[in-house]
Amino acid sequence: MHSYICSIHTTVAVNKPMEILENKTFDELTIGETAELTRTVTEQDIILFACLSGDNNPLHLDEEYAKSTQFGQRIAHGMFSALLVTTAVATKLPGPGTIYRGQDMKFQRPIFIGDTITARLELIEKKKRGNLIKINCTMINQRNEVVFSGVSTAIAPSEKIKIKASPLPKLSFEAEA
């Protein structure tokens, strides 16, 4: 098992175009509307999540230990998949200005380093009082296997927002001897 030193660099790539985030207001949303977010899980994702959460379960960080488990290899933290769902809600449907209220969730399969997972969102309910919405969330891997499912509850924004996405800092990791 390695221990890691995490460094954050706040430089921004100058030649990279800024992503534009645009929301859908409560009034613009329609039942059945969908959105997706896809990401390939890296070792750095798992290390960063462990650093952020303090969850150093060897199932996530220790290759030798993980080989002896039912999974045969390291897996991503379950809450990492929930985090990707919240990211999809906050950036895709409805997008910026959304206030997350809750998440019912079920972890159905492990997510391994190198898996490409897609969070699929579908708006299933709107309640005008309080701009409350419910979103069905399903996450699949590259083999089209469901790894996560649930329902998000949120408050949809009432004002239109179109904004440049804030740049994320670059991160680097070094294994300590």
Side-chain angles (χ1 to χ4, degrees), residues 7 30 36 130 139 174:
S7 302
T30 57
E36 290 187 354
M139 191 172 296
E174 294 176 42

Side-chain angles (χ1 to χ4, degrees), residues 63-138:
E63 187 67 41
E64 289 305 310
Y65 172 81
K67 284 179 185 176
S68 71
T69 70
Q70 64 185 354
F71 304 113
Q73 61 182 303
R74 291 166 51 205
I75 63 171
H77 300 76
M79 291 307 289
F80 180 78
S81 54
L83 178 71
L84 293 179
V85 168
T86 65
T87 300
V89 171
T91 62
K92 304 287 184 186
L93 182 68
T98 301
I99 299 171
Y100 219 83
R101 295 283 310 268
Q103 179 74 49
D104 292 327
M105 61 187 118
K106 182 177 181 184
F107 305 105
Q108 295 178 261
R109 281 191 159 70
I111 296 173
F112 300 104
I113 296 170
D115 278 355
T116 298
I117 52 177
T118 300
R120 293 182 175 161
L121 308 180
E122 180 183 2
L123 184 67
I124 58 171
E125 189 177 315
K126 286 175 67 175
K127 292 182 180 177
K128 183 66 176 166
R129 184 176 179 180
N131 284 4
L132 291 174
I133 58 170
K134 288 191 177 183
I135 301 169
N136 189 53
C137 310
T138 305

Side-chain angles (χ1 to χ4, degrees), residues 152-166:
S152 298
T153 305
I155 300 172
S158 53
E159 293 183 23
K160 189 70 175 169
I161 297 173
K162 187 174 182 177
I163 191 168
K164 287 183 181 180
S166 298

